[in-house]
Amino acid sequence: MGLTAQAIRSEMDALGAKDARVGEELARIGYPEPRLRDRGYKTLLRTIVGQQVSVAAAASMWNKLIAEVGEDFQPSCILERDFDTLRACGLSRQKQGYARSLCELLEAGELDFGAIPADDEEAIELLTRIKGIGRWSAEIYLLFAEGRKDVWPAGDLAVQEGVKRLLDMEERPKEKECRELGERWSPHRGAMAIFTWHFYANPAL
């Protein structure tokens, strides 16, 4: 389970106490809502299905896939389906390749969502072995599904824009700079990332 509302509140209170700017904005716009996802392969598969399509299109594809394989499907269920069957669910050749990569790693015992390394970088390295899962997707999974408290998705454009506004920067920082800037908020960078999304989207700004 990801960072709960209570956990975010605790983390943000700690950040606000040591960073006056964060404390000021926290008092003004309040705590962000949690973004919770289930732990496990289905969440990452849904990420793959939703890549580069609208929310509505992703939901449609996912519903068709579930209608085909069932709510409680195992990775083998995906591997047993042929190209045309998965294509009828809306999955392109590329998405099918990514989905099969995930399921093959699970079936081979090379990936176990119950035993993801405790070290964040090791966890990211493992998850990015799945075709189609880059660093950003791995970080989002660790943050939303596992509740890792110090994950910082510096490649996220909304995080970058939130940092830009929060620190009154002239230009949005690129990923490398954003990662370096985020060091000041360690070990609370997970909650801080969620706060930057909240900050970026807040209409009061």
Coordinates of all heavy atoms in Angstrom, one line a residue, residues 78-145:
I78 N -2.1 -14.3 -19.5 CA -1.7 -13.4 -20.6 C -0.8 -14.1 -21.6 O -1.0 -14.0 -22.8 CB -0.9 -12.2 -20.0 CG1 -1.7 -11.4 -19.0 CG2 -0.4 -11.3 -21.1 CD1 -2.9 -10.8 -19.5
L79 N 0.1 -15.0 -21.1 CA 1.0 -15.7 -22.0 C 0.3 -16.7 -22.9 O 0.7 -17.0 -24.0 CB 2.1 -16.4 -21.2 CG 3.0 -15.5 -20.3 CD1 4.0 -16.3 -19.5 CD2 3.8 -14.5 -21.3
E80 N -0.8 -17.2 -22.4 CA -1.6 -18.2 -23.1 C -2.4 -17.6 -24.3 O -2.8 -18.3 -25.2 CB -2.5 -19.0 -22.2 CG -1.8 -19.9 -21.2 CD -2.7 -20.3 -20.1 OE1 -3.9 -19.9 -20.0 OE2 -2.2 -21.1 -19.2
R81 N -2.7 -16.3 -24.2 CA -3.5 -15.6 -25.2 C -2.6 -15.3 -26.4 O -1.4 -14.9 -26.3 CB -4.1 -14.3 -24.7 CG -5.5 -14.5 -24.2 CD -5.6 -15.5 -23.0 NE -7.0 -15.6 -22.5 CZ -7.3 -16.3 -21.5 NH1 -6.4 -17.0 -20.8 NH2 -8.6 -16.4 -21.1
D82 N -3.2 -15.5 -27.6 CA -2.4 -15.2 -28.8 C -2.5 -13.7 -29.2 O -3.2 -12.9 -28.6 CB -2.8 -16.1 -30.0 CG -4.3 -15.9 -30.4 OD1 -4.9 -14.8 -30.1 OD2 -4.9 -16.8 -31.1
F83 N -1.7 -13.3 -30.2 CA -1.7 -11.9 -30.6 C -3.0 -11.3 -30.9 O -3.4 -10.2 -30.4 CB -0.7 -11.8 -31.8 CG -0.7 -10.4 -32.4 CD1 0.1 -9.4 -31.8 CD2 -1.5 -10.0 -33.4 CE1 0.2 -8.1 -32.3 CE2 -1.5 -8.7 -33.9 CZ -0.7 -7.8 -33.4
D84 N -3.8 -12.0 -31.7 CA -5.1 -11.5 -32.2 C -6.1 -11.3 -31.0 O -6.9 -10.4 -31.0 CB -5.7 -12.4 -33.2 CG -5.0 -12.3 -34.5 OD1 -4.3 -11.3 -34.8 OD2 -5.1 -13.3 -35.3
T85 N -6.0 -12.2 -30.0 CA -6.9 -12.1 -28.9 C -6.6 -10.9 -28.1 O -7.5 -10.1 -27.7 CB -6.8 -13.4 -28.0 OG1 -7.2 -14.5 -28.7 CG2 -7.6 -13.2 -26.7
L86 N -5.3 -10.6 -27.8 CA -4.9 -9.5 -27.1 C -5.1 -8.2 -27.9 O -5.4 -7.1 -27.3 CB -3.4 -9.6 -26.6 CG -3.2 -10.7 -25.6 CD1 -1.7 -10.8 -25.2 CD2 -4.0 -10.5 -24.3
R87 N -4.9 -8.3 -29.2 CA -5.1 -7.1 -30.1 C -6.6 -6.7 -30.0 O -6.9 -5.5 -30.0 CB -4.7 -7.5 -31.5 CG -4.8 -6.3 -32.4 CD -3.6 -5.3 -32.1 NE -3.7 -4.1 -32.9 CZ -4.3 -3.0 -32.5 NH1 -5.0 -3.0 -31.3 NH2 -4.3 -1.9 -33.2
A88 N -7.5 -7.7 -29.9 CA -8.9 -7.4 -29.8 C -9.2 -6.6 -28.5 O -10.3 -5.9 -28.4 CB -9.7 -8.7 -29.9
C89 N -8.4 -6.8 -27.5 CA -8.5 -6.0 -26.2 C -8.0 -4.6 -26.3 O -8.1 -3.8 -25.4 CB -7.8 -6.8 -25.1 SG -8.5 -8.4 -24.8
G90 N -7.3 -4.3 -27.5 CA -6.8 -3.0 -27.7 C -5.3 -2.9 -27.5 O -4.7 -1.9 -27.7
L91 N -4.6 -4.1 -27.2 CA -3.2 -4.0 -27.0 C -2.4 -4.1 -28.3 O -2.5 -5.1 -29.0 CB -2.7 -5.2 -26.0 CG -2.9 -4.9 -24.5 CD1 -4.3 -4.8 -24.1 CD2 -2.2 -6.0 -23.7
S92 N -1.6 -3.1 -28.5 CA -0.7 -3.0 -29.7 C 0.4 -4.1 -29.6 O 0.6 -4.7 -28.5 CB -0.1 -1.7 -29.8 OG 0.8 -1.4 -28.7
R93 N 1.1 -4.3 -30.7 CA 2.2 -5.3 -30.7 C 3.2 -4.9 -29.6 O 3.7 -5.7 -28.9 CB 2.9 -5.3 -32.0 CG 4.0 -6.3 -32.1 CD 4.6 -6.4 -33.6 NE 3.6 -6.7 -34.5 CZ 3.2 -8.0 -34.8 NH1 3.7 -9.0 -34.2 NH2 2.3 -8.2 -35.8
Q94 N 3.5 -3.6 -29.5 CA 4.4 -3.1 -28.5 C 4.0 -3.4 -27.0 O 4.7 -3.9 -26.2 CB 4.7 -1.6 -28.6 CG 5.8 -1.1 -27.7 CD 6.0 0.4 -28.0 OE1 5.1 1.2 -27.8 NE2 7.2 0.8 -28.3
K95 N 2.7 -3.0 -26.8 CA 2.2 -3.3 -25.4 C 2.1 -4.8 -25.1 O 2.4 -5.2 -23.9 CB 0.7 -2.7 -25.3 CG 0.7 -1.2 -25.2 CD -0.7 -0.7 -25.0 CE -0.9 0.8 -25.2 NZ -0.2 1.5 -24.1
Q96 N 1.8 -5.6 -26.1 CA 1.9 -7.0 -25.9 C 3.3 -7.5 -25.5 O 3.4 -8.4 -24.6 CB 1.3 -7.8 -27.1 CG -0.2 -7.6 -27.3 CD -0.7 -8.5 -28.4 OE1 -0.3 -9.7 -28.4 NE2 -1.6 -8.1 -29.2
G97 N 4.2 -6.9 -26.2 CA 5.6 -7.3 -25.9 C 6.0 -7.0 -24.5 O 6.7 -7.7 -23.7
Y98 N 5.6 -5.8 -24.0 CA 5.9 -5.3 -22.7 C 5.1 -6.2 -21.6 O 5.7 -6.6 -20.6 CB 5.4 -3.9 -22.5 CG 6.2 -2.9 -23.3 CD1 5.7 -1.6 -23.4 CD2 7.4 -3.2 -23.9 CE1 6.4 -0.6 -24.2 CE2 8.1 -2.3 -24.7 CZ 7.6 -1.0 -24.8 OH 8.2 0.0 -25.6
A99 N 3.9 -6.5 -21.9 CA 3.1 -7.3 -21.0 C 3.7 -8.7 -20.9 O 3.7 -9.3 -19.8 CB 1.6 -7.4 -21.5
R100 N 4.1 -9.3 -22.0 CA 4.7 -10.6 -22.0 C 6.0 -10.6 -21.2 O 6.3 -11.6 -20.5 CB 4.9 -11.1 -23.4 CG 3.6 -11.5 -24.1 CD 3.8 -12.1 -25.5 NE 2.5 -12.3 -26.1 CZ 1.7 -13.3 -25.9 NH1 2.0 -14.2 -25.0 NH2 0.5 -13.4 -26.5
S101 N 6.8 -9.5 -21.4 CA 8.0 -9.4 -20.6 C 7.8 -9.5 -19.1 O 8.5 -10.2 -18.4 CB 8.7 -8.1 -21.0 OG 9.9 -7.9 -20.2
L102 N 6.8 -8.8 -18.7 CA 6.4 -8.8 -17.2 C 6.0 -10.2 -16.8 O 6.5 -10.7 -15.8 CB 5.3 -7.8 -17.0 CG 4.6 -7.9 -15.6 CD1 5.5 -7.6 -14.5 CD2 3.4 -6.9 -15.6
C103 N 5.1 -10.8 -17.6 CA 4.6 -12.1 -17.2 C 5.7 -13.2 -17.3 O 5.7 -14.1 -16.5 CB 3.4 -12.4 -18.1 SG 2.0 -11.3 -17.8
E104 N 6.5 -13.1 -18.2 CA 7.6 -14.1 -18.4 C 8.6 -14.0 -17.2 O 9.0 -15.1 -16.7 CB 8.4 -13.9 -19.7 CG 7.6 -14.4 -20.9 CD 8.1 -13.9 -22.2 OE1 9.1 -13.1 -22.2 OE2 7.6 -14.2 -23.3
L105 N 8.9 -12.8 -16.8 CA 9.8 -12.7 -15.6 C 9.1 -13.3 -14.3 O 9.8 -13.9 -13.5 CB 10.1 -11.2 -15.4 CG 11.1 -10.6 -16.4 CD1 11.2 -9.1 -16.2 CD2 12.5 -11.2 -16.2
L106 N 7.8 -13.1 -14.2 CA 7.1 -13.6 -13.1 C 7.1 -15.1 -13.2 O 7.3 -15.8 -12.1 CB 5.7 -13.0 -13.1 CG 5.6 -11.6 -12.6 CD1 4.2 -11.0 -13.1 CD2 5.8 -11.4 -11.1
E107 N 6.8 -15.7 -14.3 CA 6.7 -17.1 -14.5 C 8.0 -17.8 -14.3 O 8.1 -18.9 -13.8 CB 6.1 -17.4 -15.9 CG 4.6 -17.2 -16.1 CD 3.8 -18.1 -15.3 OE1 3.6 -19.3 -15.8 OE2 3.2 -17.8 -14.2
A108 N 9.1 -17.1 -14.6 CA 10.4 -17.7 -14.5 C 11.0 -17.5 -13.0 O 12.0 -18.1 -12.7 CB 11.4 -17.0 -15.4
G109 N 10.2 -16.8 -12.2 CA 10.6 -16.6 -10.8 C 11.7 -15.6 -10.7 O 12.4 -15.5 -9.6
E110 N 11.9 -14.8 -11.7 CA 12.9 -13.8 -11.7 C 12.4 -12.5 -11.1 O 13.2 -11.5 -10.8 CB 13.5 -13.5 -13.1 CG 14.2 -14.7 -13.7 CD 14.7 -14.4 -15.1 OE1 15.1 -13.3 -15.3 OE2 14.7 -15.4 -15.9
L111 N 11.1 -12.4 -10.9 CA 10.5 -11.2 -10.3 C 9.4 -11.6 -9.3 O 8.6 -12.4 -9.7 CB 9.9 -10.4 -11.4 CG 9.2 -9.0 -11.0 CD1 10.1 -8.1 -10.3 CD2 8.6 -8.4 -12.3
D112 N 9.5 -11.2 -8.1 CA 8.6 -11.5 -7.0 C 8.2 -10.3 -6.3 O 9.0 -9.6 -5.6 CB 9.3 -12.5 -6.0 CG 8.3 -12.9 -4.9 OD1 7.2 -12.4 -4.8 OD2 8.8 -13.7 -4.1
F113 N 6.9 -9.9 -6.5 CA 6.5 -8.6 -5.9 C 6.3 -8.7 -4.4 O 6.1 -7.6 -3.8 CB 5.1 -8.2 -6.6 CG 5.3 -7.6 -7.9 CD1 5.3 -8.3 -9.1 CD2 5.6 -6.2 -8.1 CE1 5.5 -7.8 -10.3 CE2 5.8 -5.6 -9.3 CZ 5.7 -6.4 -10.4
G114 N 6.4 -9.8 -3.9 CA 6.5 -10.0 -2.4 C 7.9 -9.8 -1.8 O 8.0 -9.8 -0.6
A115 N 8.9 -9.7 -2.7 CA 10.2 -9.7 -2.2 C 11.0 -8.6 -3.1 O 12.2 -8.9 -3.4 CB 10.9 -11.0 -2.4
I116 N 10.4 -7.5 -3.3 CA 11.2 -6.4 -4.0 C 12.3 -5.9 -3.0 O 12.0 -5.7 -1.9 CB 10.2 -5.2 -4.3 CG1 9.1 -5.7 -5.3 CG2 10.9 -4.1 -5.0 CD1 9.5 -6.1 -6.6
P117 N 13.5 -5.7 -3.5 CA 14.6 -5.2 -2.7 C 14.2 -4.0 -1.9 O 13.5 -3.1 -2.4 CB 15.7 -4.9 -3.6 CG 15.4 -5.8 -4.8 CD 14.0 -5.9 -4.9
A118 N 14.6 -4.0 -0.6 CA 14.3 -2.8 0.3 C 15.1 -1.6 -0.2 O 14.6 -0.4 0.0 CB 14.7 -3.1 1.7
D119 N 16.2 -1.7 -0.8 CA 17.0 -0.6 -1.3 C 16.3 -0.1 -2.6 O 16.0 -0.8 -3.5 CB 18.4 -1.0 -1.7 CG 19.2 0.1 -2.2 OD1 19.8 0.9 -1.4 OD2 19.3 0.2 -3.5
D120 N 16.0 1.2 -2.6 CA 15.2 1.8 -3.7 C 15.9 1.6 -5.0 O 15.2 1.3 -6.0 CB 14.9 3.3 -3.4 CG 14.0 3.5 -2.2 OD1 13.2 2.5 -1.9 OD2 14.0 4.6 -1.6
E121 N 17.2 1.9 -5.1 CA 17.9 1.8 -6.4 C 17.9 0.4 -6.9 O 17.8 0.1 -8.1 CB 19.3 2.4 -6.3 CG 19.3 3.9 -6.2 CD 18.7 4.6 -7.4 OE1 18.9 4.1 -8.5 OE2 18.0 5.6 -7.2
E122 N 18.1 -0.6 -6.0 CA 18.0 -2.0 -6.4 C 16.6 -2.4 -6.9 O 16.5 -3.2 -7.8 CB 18.4 -2.9 -5.2 CG 19.9 -2.8 -4.8 CD 20.3 -3.7 -3.7 OE1 19.5 -4.6 -3.3 OE2 21.3 -3.5 -3.1
A123 N 15.6 -1.9 -6.2 CA 14.2 -2.1 -6.6 C 14.0 -1.6 -8.0 O 13.4 -2.2 -8.8 CB 13.3 -1.5 -5.6
I124 N 14.5 -0.4 -8.3 CA 14.3 0.3 -9.6 C 15.0 -0.5 -10.6 O 14.5 -0.8 -11.7 CB 14.8 1.7 -9.5 CG1 13.8 2.6 -8.7 CG2 14.9 2.3 -10.9 CD1 14.4 3.9 -8.3
E125 N 16.2 -1.0 -10.3 CA 17.0 -1.8 -11.3 C 16.3 -3.1 -11.6 O 16.2 -3.5 -12.8 CB 18.4 -2.1 -10.7 CG 19.4 -2.7 -11.7 CD 19.2 -4.2 -11.9 OE1 18.7 -4.9 -11.0 OE2 19.4 -4.7 -13.0
L126 N 15.6 -3.7 -10.7 CA 14.9 -4.9 -10.9 C 13.6 -4.6 -11.8 O 13.4 -5.3 -12.7 CB 14.5 -5.5 -9.6 CG 13.6 -6.8 -9.7 CD1 14.4 -7.9 -10.4 CD2 13.1 -7.2 -8.3
L127 N 12.9 -3.6 -11.4 CA 11.6 -3.4 -12.1 C 11.9 -2.9 -13.5 O 11.1 -3.2 -14.4 CB 10.8 -2.3 -11.4 CG 10.3 -2.7 -10.0 CD1 9.6 -1.6 -9.3 CD2 9.3 -3.9 -10.1
T128 N 13.0 -2.2 -13.8 CA 13.3 -1.7 -15.1 C 13.8 -2.9 -16.0 O 14.1 -2.6 -17.2 CB 14.2 -0.5 -15.1 OG1 15.4 -0.9 -14.4 CG2 13.6 0.7 -14.5
R129 N 13.9 -4.1 -15.5 CA 14.2 -5.2 -16.4 C 13.0 -5.6 -17.2 O 13.1 -6.3 -18.2 CB 14.7 -6.4 -15.5 CG 16.0 -6.2 -14.9 CD 16.4 -7.4 -14.0 NE 16.4 -8.7 -14.8 CZ 16.4 -9.9 -14.2 NH1 16.4 -10.0 -12.9 NH2 16.4 -11.0 -15.0
I130 N 11.8 -5.1 -16.8 CA 10.6 -5.4 -17.5 C 10.6 -4.4 -18.7 O 10.8 -3.2 -18.6 CB 9.4 -5.1 -16.7 CG1 9.4 -5.9 -15.4 CG2 8.1 -5.3 -17.5 CD1 8.4 -5.4 -14.3
K131 N 10.4 -5.0 -19.9 CA 10.4 -4.1 -21.1 C 9.2 -3.1 -21.0 O 8.1 -3.5 -20.6 CB 10.2 -5.0 -22.4 CG 11.4 -5.8 -22.7 CD 11.1 -6.7 -24.0 CE 12.3 -7.6 -24.3 NZ 12.0 -8.4 -25.5
G132 N 9.5 -1.9 -21.3 CA 8.5 -0.9 -21.3 C 8.3 -0.2 -19.9 O 7.6 0.8 -19.8
I133 N 9.1 -0.7 -18.9 CA 9.1 0.0 -17.6 C 10.4 0.7 -17.4 O 11.4 0.1 -17.2 CB 8.8 -1.1 -16.5 CG1 7.5 -1.8 -16.6 CG2 9.0 -0.4 -15.1 CD1 6.3 -0.8 -16.5
G134 N 10.3 2.0 -17.5 CA 11.5 2.8 -17.3 C 11.6 3.3 -15.9 O 10.8 2.9 -15.0
R135 N 12.6 4.1 -15.6 CA 12.8 4.6 -14.2 C 11.6 5.3 -13.6 O 11.2 5.0 -12.5 CB 14.0 5.5 -14.1 CG 14.4 5.9 -12.7 CD 15.5 6.8 -12.6 NE 15.8 7.1 -11.2 CZ 16.6 6.5 -10.4 NH1 17.4 5.5 -10.9 NH2 16.8 6.8 -9.1
W136 N 10.9 6.1 -14.4 CA 9.8 6.9 -13.9 C 8.6 5.9 -13.5 O 8.1 6.0 -12.4 CB 9.2 7.8 -15.0 CG 8.0 8.6 -14.6 CD1 8.0 9.7 -13.8 CD2 6.6 8.2 -14.8 NE1 6.6 10.1 -13.6 CE2 5.8 9.2 -14.2 CE3 6.0 7.1 -15.5 CZ2 4.4 9.1 -14.3 CZ3 4.6 7.1 -15.6 CH2 3.9 8.1 -14.9
S137 N 8.3 4.9 -14.3 CA 7.3 4.0 -14.0 C 7.6 3.2 -12.8 O 6.7 2.9 -11.9 CB 7.0 3.0 -15.2 OG 6.5 3.7 -16.3
A138 N 8.9 2.8 -12.6 CA 9.3 2.0 -11.5 C 9.2 2.9 -10.2 O 8.7 2.4 -9.2 CB 10.8 1.6 -11.7
E139 N 9.6 4.1 -10.3 CA 9.5 5.0 -9.1 C 8.1 5.3 -8.7 O 7.7 5.3 -7.5 CB 10.2 6.3 -9.4 CG 11.7 6.2 -9.5 CD 12.4 7.5 -10.0 OE1 11.8 8.2 -10.8 OE2 13.6 7.7 -9.6
I140 N 7.2 5.4 -9.7 CA 5.8 5.7 -9.4 C 5.2 4.4 -8.8 O 4.4 4.5 -7.8 CB 5.0 6.0 -10.7 CG1 5.4 7.4 -11.3 CG2 3.5 6.0 -10.5 CD1 5.2 8.5 -10.3
Y141 N 5.6 3.2 -9.2 CA 5.1 2.0 -8.6 C 5.5 1.9 -7.1 O 4.8 1.7 -6.2 CB 5.6 0.8 -9.3 CG 5.2 -0.5 -8.6 CD1 3.9 -1.0 -8.8 CD2 6.1 -1.1 -7.7 CE1 3.5 -2.2 -8.1 CE2 5.7 -2.2 -7.0 CZ 4.4 -2.8 -7.2 OH 4.0 -3.9 -6.5
L142 N 6.8 2.2 -6.9 CA 7.4 2.1 -5.5 C 6.7 3.1 -4.6 O 6.5 2.9 -3.4 CB 8.9 2.3 -5.6 CG 9.7 1.2 -6.2 CD1 11.2 1.6 -6.3 CD2 9.5 -0.1 -5.5
L143 N 6.4 4.3 -5.2 CA 5.7 5.3 -4.4 C 4.3 5.0 -4.1 O 3.8 5.1 -2.9 CB 5.9 6.7 -5.1 CG 5.4 7.9 -4.4 CD1 6.0 8.2 -3.1 CD2 5.6 9.1 -5.4
F144 N 3.5 4.7 -5.1 CA 2.1 4.6 -5.0 C 1.7 3.2 -4.4 O 0.7 3.1 -3.7 CB 1.4 4.8 -6.3 CG 1.4 6.2 -6.8 CD1 1.0 6.5 -8.1 CD2 1.9 7.2 -6.0 CE1 1.1 7.8 -8.6 CE2 2.0 8.5 -6.5 CZ 1.6 8.8 -7.8
A145 N 2.4 2.1 -4.8 CA 2.0 0.8 -4.4 C 2.7 0.3 -3.1 O 2.2 -0.4 -2.3 CB 2.2 -0.2 -5.5

